[in-house]
Amino acid sequence: MKNSNQIFIDACNMLPVDRTPIWIMRQAGRYLPEYRKIRLKSSFHDMMHTPELMSEVTMLPINRFSLDAAIMFSDILVIPESLGMNFKLVPKVGPVFEQEILNESDIEKLNFQNDYFKNIYHGISLIRSNLDQKKSLIGFAGAPWTVACYMLEGKPSKDYMKLRSLLIEKPILYKKLMDKITNATIDYIDGQIEAGVNAIQIFDSNGTYISKYHYEKYSLPYIKKIINHINSKNVPSIYFAKGLCSEIDLILKTESKVLGIDWTVDIGDVKNKVLNRAAIQGNLDPSVLLCSNKIIKKEVSKIINSFGNNHGHIFNLGHGITPSVNPNSVEFLIDIVKELTAK
Ligand code: CP3
């Protein structure tokens, strides 16, 4: 494989790079005063579905910092909306659906409309034309398990018991739901790629609520189908496996080209287990960004030293950046990663 003109894509493909590329999960969010200003005037849904606004918000962190990739501004819960389930963002609660899934007929009724995504696809083309060619645009979707957790509860939950009991009690119905989410996600990913994204990340933020045994049988096959589809398009696939990062052999079965890891594991240990079968993205504890620059430098050095040779590493946090982070700390983080990894 030949080097592209994007350092982020080269690292995904485990090609030699001059330094470790960096982007930050949830980089276009509430810790930025300019995000909060736009959000005062526009609803979250307007920001996702107005191409100019979607592009403007996506570009906020790119204009402010020297990041190597943009991630399109959207949400994993657009998939339930494309299937007919709408949500509202409720302050201090998070996304709340008008109606959660209560019974079998609610699952039968789910009916995918690709038309729902048309403004998102326009937004992607616009972002790609506004973004420097050397920077990558990351598209994304949720893993079916993580998305289904929200569809059953109707809102964020501390344990997602409803989906867990559905899969145990009614596995056939569970499969019907997962097939609908998976097929919708594959169509959505095709649209994102056609519109111009350069890589796709699958967020499995609720991966931790499923047992290892159940994961292999009830979550992995759907993730694998999506990842195989992304791989068939020659676009790097990134699987963010929150809570599953000590089960490397299990998550490697997704066949993802990049594994995104949370902050609970040592990146060097992960690298030794992965043995060049995937590139690795991560994994600074997001709470480090609330500490002094001296601590940030120390914790970043630990990750870089633990990883060793910088090929196949994409620097990121181990989960999304939180609203209370000072943007100056983000700037320091990016500079220090570049300084410490430059050849
Ligand atoms: O990374 C980025 O900057 C791109 C945008 C992005 C958002 N959500 C914007 C958003 C991405 C990649 C997501 C993914 C997402 N959404 C996940 C997986 C990643 C993760 O953090 O675990 C999940 C579980 C969701 C569902 C979701 N959306 C929740 C639970 C919430 C409320 C909690 C929160 O963090 O505010 C949202 C709302 C949301 N999605 C906001 C943003 C910027 C906050 C919107 C606002 O209040 O202005």
Side-chain angles (χ1 to χ4, degrees):
M1 198 176 291
K2 174 160 124 326
N3 278 69
S4 72
N5 64 347
Q6 296 178 357
I7 188 173
F8 168 81
I9 297 296
D10 289 342
C12 291
N13 290 323
M14 300 209 285
L15 293 168
V17 283
D18 295 337
R19 58 164 177 84
T20 301
I22 174 169
W23 71 281
I24 295 169
M25 287 191 276
R26 292 287 187 97
Q27 64 191 24
R30 285 162 298 177
Y31 73 102
L32 288 175
E34 51 273 36
Y35 174 94
R36 297 196 297 268
K37 198 170 155 206
I38 296 173
R39 185 73 171 81
L40 280 178
K41 289 179 288 174
S42 316
S43 73
F44 185 60
H45 279 77
D46 283 345
M47 284 158 76
M48 288 198 292
H49 293 289
T50 311
E52 293 74 21
L53 262 180
M54 176 190 176
S55 176
E56 185 184 351
V57 177
T58 300
M59 294 300 286
L60 294 176
I62 302 299
N63 295 338
R64 195 191 247 262
F65 310 116
S66 56
L67 292 155
D68 296 300
I71 178 159
M72 67 178 201
F73 182 78
S74 190
D75 199 86
I76 62 167
L77 299 179
V78 294
I79 286 291
E81 292 208 322
S82 74
L83 290 163
M85 287 178 64
N86 297 325
F87 73 89
K88 283 208 176 69
L89 208 55
V90 177
K92 299 204 166 77
V93 180
V96 177
F97 285 91
E98 282 167 5
Q99 182 68 67
E100 73 271 29
I101 289 175
L102 294 171
N103 51 41
E104 188 158 351
S105 85
D106 289 339
I107 294 179
E108 298 290 349
K109 270 194 315 221
L110 297 172
N111 181 24
F112 178 62
Q113 304 284 341
N114 203 338
D115 200 42
Y116 166 89
F117 295 112
K118 65 176 187 300
N119 290 326
I120 297 184
Y121 299 148
H122 284 152
I124 292 172
S125 315
L126 191 60
I127 300 163
R128 199 43 282 181
S129 66
N130 288 334
L131 189 65
D132 182 334
Q133 284 302 321
K134 290 198 168 136
K135 303 201 176 200
S136 309
L137 177 58
I138 303 169
F140 70 91
W145 166 267
T146 287
V147 172
C149 280
Y150 285 96
M151 291 169 80
L152 264 285
E153 298 287 338
K155 56 181 188 300
S157 148
K158 63 176 185 342
D159 48 24
Y160 297 100
M161 298 281 258
K162 290 182 181 166
L163 184 63
R164 285 157 60 196
S165 61
L166 180 78
L167 93 77
I168 297 167
E169 193 170 30
K170 296 181 177 168
I172 295 169
L173 190 58
Y174 170 86
K175 182 174 187 307
K176 205 172 255 178
L177 172 64
M178 294 296 271
D179 281 334
K180 286 196 176 194
I181 298 171
T182 305
N183 293 336
T185 304
I186 288 174
D187 273 27
Y188 178 40
I189 284 171
D190 275 341
Q192 292 183 29
I193 294 172
E194 273 166 41
V197 303
N198 307 107
I200 302 261
Q201 174 153 321
I202 300 301
F203 283 91
D204 203 0
S205 309
N206 292 347
T208 183
Y209 295 100
I210 194 165
S211 71
K212 193 175 147 188
Y213 167 75
H214 281 152
Y215 176 86
E216 193 143 13
K217 198 163 164 200
Y218 293 106
S219 180
L220 176 67
Y222 306 98
I223 297 166
K224 196 171 165 184
K225 189 171 172 192
I226 294 168
I227 299 279
N228 285 341
H229 188 79
I230 301 169
N231 292 346
S232 76
K233 302 271 167 179
N234 258 326
V235 165
S237 48
I238 311 165
Y239 176 52
F240 175 57
K242 182 158 183 287
L244 296 164
C245 307
S246 45
E247 302 290 343
I248 296 302
D249 286 328
L250 200 56
I251 59 180
L252 274 171
K253 289 187 184 175
T254 60
E255 294 178 26
S256 186
K257 299 291 179 199
V258 184
L259 295 178
I261 58 173
D262 66 36
W263 70 93
T264 62
V265 285
D266 181 275
I267 196 165
D269 287 349
V270 171
K271 188 186 181 190
N272 291 337
K273 287 184 195 147
V274 169
L275 290 171
N276 289 326
R277 287 174 287 175
I280 300 168
Q281 176 177 281
N283 71 338
L284 186 71
D285 182 338
S287 72
V288 171
L289 284 179
L290 301 175
C291 305
S292 66
N293 286 354
K294 196 172 155 216
I295 305 268
I296 295 174
K297 183 171 181 182
K298 190 170 138 222
E299 295 300 317
V300 168
S301 309
K302 272 194 214 159
I303 290 175
I304 286 163
N305 294 337
S306 177
F307 193 87
N309 178 324
N310 65 2
H311 298 172
H313 182 207
I314 297 137
F315 202 97
N316 206 317
L317 305 184
H319 198 185
I321 186 167
T322 52
S324 55
V325 169
N326 183 332
N328 293 335
S329 302
V330 175
E331 189 164 352
F332 179 79
L333 167 72
I334 296 166
D335 289 347
I336 208 73
V337 168
K338 293 190 172 180
E339 186 188 312
L340 293 173
T341 63
K343 285 232 171 76

